[in-house]
Amino acid sequence: MIDNTELLNQARKACDNAYAHYSKFYVGACALYDSGNYYLGANVENASYGLSLCAERNAMSSAVAAGEKGKLIKIAIFSKNRTNCMPCGACRQWMAEFAKDNQMQIILESEDEKCAIFTLEELLPYGFML
Ligand code: THU
């Protein structure tokens, strides 16, 4: 199974493909499932700003499109900025949708900030579930 260092390397690679034409805030994500498969995503912006897609949701969408049936166990998020990119509320809710459990790990790193690891429980307490 891929380790955290390699997950972050993959997220960094995905970040190189970010389309952040407007914000210049470049993000890459690598989502790991319990199948051992992982999927990359980068943020994709649009002239109509509200249509922008986050890197994390892009990675999870790629998993669905590839037919992934496993559960999300980790997501690495790399931002080519000074500070780590805390996932937005929408992405946290998406993680909850595909996560194995609330101990799922969210691994962050940026150009200037060291690796930080959170659980979904820490970032989305009392999240909505059906
Ligand atoms: N962004 C992400 O890709 N992930 C997050 O968790 C937060 C924000 C992107 C969206 C937009 O392209 C840019 O960062 C600035 O908000």
Side-chain angles (χ1 to χ4, degrees), residues 3 10 13 24 28 31 52 58 82 100 102-103 119 123:
D3 66 13
Q10 293 293 326
K13 243 171 56 180
K24 312 286 183 207
S52 297
N58 196 353
R82 283 187 302 108
K100 194 179 188 84
N102 63 8
Q103 296 310 301
T119 63
L123 298 191

Side-chain angles (χ1 to χ4, degrees), residues 54 56-57 86-96 123-124:
C54 291
E56 300 91 315
R57 272 177 287 159
M86 295 300 296
C88 77
C91 288
R92 295 177 196 199
Q93 184 68 31
W94 263 56
M95 289 173 203
L123 298 191
L124 191 68

Side-chain angles (χ1 to χ4, degrees), residues 20 23 25 27 43-45 52-56 85-88 91:
S23 72
F25 192 87
V27 188
N43 55 329
V44 183
E45 299 186 344
S52 297
L53 176 64
C54 291
E56 300 91 315
C85 175
M86 295 300 296
C88 77
C91 288

Side-chain angles (χ1 to χ4, degrees), residues 2 4 6-19 25-33 38-44 53-63 72 74-80 85-87 91 95 104-109:
I2 186 169
N4 289 357
E6 185 54 26
L7 269 184
L8 279 166
N9 282 341
Q10 293 293 326
R12 183 190 282 265
K13 243 171 56 180
C15 189
D16 286 338
N17 296 328
Y19 180 76
F25 192 87
Y26 302 93
V27 188
C30 181
L32 176 67
Y33 289 72
Y38 58 86
Y39 304 88
L40 304 185
N43 55 329
V44 183
L53 176 64
C54 291
E56 300 91 315
R57 272 177 287 159
N58 196 353
M60 290 181 273
S61 294
S62 294
L72 179 65
K74 292 180 182 183
I75 190 163
I77 306 166
F78 180 83
S79 64
K80 204 180 286 176
C85 175
M86 295 300 296
C91 288
M95 289 173 203
M104 187 224 130
Q105 289 189 344
I106 296 133
I107 303 156
L108 310 176
E109 200 171 80

